[in-house]
Amino acid sequence: MLLRYKKTYEKIAMGLLSYMPGEKAVKKLQETIHQYEHDDDWQLYLLKQEEDFIGLVGIVLDEHSYTVMHLSVNPSFRGEGIGSEMIAKLAELFPNLECKSNEYTESFMKRCMDRESKDS
């Protein structure tokens, strides 16, 4: 289940964000979380499986698209399609918007798209 970030998830979100390149320092993590908390165009979602939060995806919305800024999966669950599942759930949430990537999410997003085209 993909859940919208709320303040009570702050420590969990910071832990998952820390797996992203460039997000290791506590001060940087706090700045990133602050951005998601205070800018309506920045939206953060956590993936919950049973009782555990196992993934996180953060986007920036604009009029015609959204950009995946952060994408992280708990290392214990990597290789199970969790990242692709989160991208698919975003597509369901925002069916009329184009999905874009940034420099940190581009290679993963490309692999997701390649996998989808092979599966179709």
Side-chain angles (χ1 to χ4, degrees):
M1 173 185 300
L2 203 58
L3 302 172
R4 181 89 187 260
Y5 170 84
K6 55 187 176 185
K7 187 73 170 163
T8 56
Y9 301 152
E10 182 178 33
K11 289 181 182 177
I12 295 163
M14 286 178 64
L16 288 165
L17 272 173
S18 71
Y19 297 122
M20 289 285 305
E23 295 287 340
K24 305 278 185 227
V26 172
K27 183 174 178 161
K28 176 65 175 146
L29 287 167
Q30 290 170 332
E31 290 169 0
T32 300
I33 290 292
H34 184 267
Q35 182 84 46
Y36 282 111
E37 289 176 342
H38 293 93
D39 187 334
D40 290 337
D41 293 335
W42 285 64
Q43 296 187 9
L44 191 61
Y45 297 89
L46 287 88
L47 185 70
K48 189 171 186 178
Q49 190 177 71
E50 296 174 18
E51 297 302 313
D52 297 320
F53 287 97
I54 61 171
L56 167 145
V57 62
I59 63 171
V60 175
L61 288 169
D62 66 34
E63 191 175 341
H64 302 289
S65 66
Y66 58 93
T67 303
V68 177
M69 303 298 290
H70 297 94
L71 182 70
S72 179
V73 175
N74 178 318
S76 299
F77 294 90
R78 290 187 183 159
E80 297 179 19
I82 303 298
S84 297
E85 179 183 340
M86 288 190 291
I87 297 303
K89 288 183 182 296
L90 284 176
E92 291 172 14
L93 283 175
F94 304 103
N96 299 321
L97 299 180
E98 177 187 0
C99 178
K100 298 180 179 179
S101 59
N102 68 9
E103 64 183 294
Y104 300 113
T105 60
E106 184 176 23
S107 65
F108 179 80
M109 298 288 291
K110 184 176 179 341
R111 287 194 309 269
C112 281
M113 300 305 169
D114 289 348
R115 249 185 252 132
E116 283 180 21
S117 63
K118 286 178 185 174
D119 291 342
S120 348

